[in-house]
Amino acid sequence: MKIRTGLGYDVHKLVEGRKLILGGVEVPHTLGLLGHSDADVLTHALMDALLGAIGAGDIGKLFPDSDPAYEGISSLKLLEEVMRRVKAAGYRVENADVVVIAQKPKLGPHFPKMKTILSSYLGCEESALNLKATTEEHLGFTGREEGIAAEAICLLIGDSPVLPGSEG
Ligand code: MG
C-alpha cells in the first residue's frame, strides 16, 4: 500500500457583479470571486492538493486560463477530471481537509451541502472531507474583504502502486 499527501493553496479577488461559488455551492453574498472559471477558490485548493499528491503539477498547468474552453466553467467539472487522473494513477482519497480564509460571509451553514457535493466527486465518505473557515481578524487582503483564500491538504491511498517511477 502506498500513501501520498498533497497541499493546495489558492486566492481569488472579490468583486461586485460575480456569484460567490464555494465548494460547488452558490453562497449568497454582495460580492463574488473573479476568475476565468467560476473562481471556486475552495475547490481549486482541493484540486491542487489532489494533483500534488499524484505528482501531476497543478490546475494552472492542467486547465490554463488562456484556454477559452475553461471560461466560466464549473470547477466541479474540473474536479471530475482531476479525480479521473487520481484514479488512473491508482489512488483513492482517504481524507482531505480544507480551510477557507474569508472575513465574510459566514460559511459554516453552507458546509454540509458542500461536503455532500464534493465528497461525491472525491468518492469518499462525507466524514472524510473536513471543511472549515477562519477570518484573519480584519488583517490583510482577506480581512479587508478584497479576496478569499483557501488551503487544502489530502491523503491518498494507493492499493496498487502504478505511479511510474514511484516504486521503492
Ligand atoms: Mg484558482
Side-chain angles (χ1 to χ4, degrees):
M1 185 182 82
K2 292 204 169 258
I3 62 170
R4 302 285 289 252
T5 187
L7 171 74
Y9 176 72
D10 196 24
V11 171
H12 280 266
K13 189 176 176 180
L14 278 166
V15 294
E16 290 181 350
R18 290 269 301 185
K19 288 178 181 172
L20 177 59
I21 310 288
L22 292 171
V25 171
E26 186 178 338
V27 176
H29 193 41
T30 50
L31 303 171
L33 293 173
L34 184 64
H36 186 65
S37 65
D38 63 1
D40 183 342
V41 69
L42 188 165
T43 303
H44 289 187
L46 183 58
M47 288 193 284
D48 268 356
L50 294 164
L51 290 171
I54 60 166
D58 59 55
I59 54 170
K61 181 177 131 188
L62 217 59
F63 313 114
D65 62 9
S66 54
D67 189 335
Y70 303 120
E71 192 173 346
I73 196 171
S74 166
S75 296
L76 295 177
K77 293 296 290 178
L78 307 180
L79 178 58
E80 195 174 9
E81 170 60 21
V82 167
M83 281 308 301
R84 196 188 63 71
R85 288 171 186 248
V86 167
K87 286 172 195 154
Y91 286 86
R92 62 181 169 79
V93 176
E94 175 65 16
N95 81 302
D97 189 19
V98 185
V99 56
V100 180
I101 302 144
Q103 191 63 43
K104 282 182 186 172
K106 281 252 179 287
L107 298 176
H110 304 282
F111 284 156
K113 192 174 176 189
M114 293 180 199
K115 283 174 75 164
T116 302
I117 293 170
L118 293 173
S119 63
S120 75
Y121 281 84
L122 296 176
C124 67
E125 298 289 324
E126 287 187 28
S127 60
L129 173 63
N130 192 67
L131 300 179
K132 54 191 190 275
T134 186
T135 73
E136 290 188 305
E137 303 287 344
H138 299 282
L139 297 168
F141 70 87
T142 70
R144 292 188 298 268
E145 298 173 53
E146 293 168 1
I148 293 180
E151 295 180 18
I153 189 164
C154 69
L155 187 73
L156 305 184
I157 303 281
D159 298 314
S160 50
V162 295
L163 267 190
S166 70
E167 286 74 21

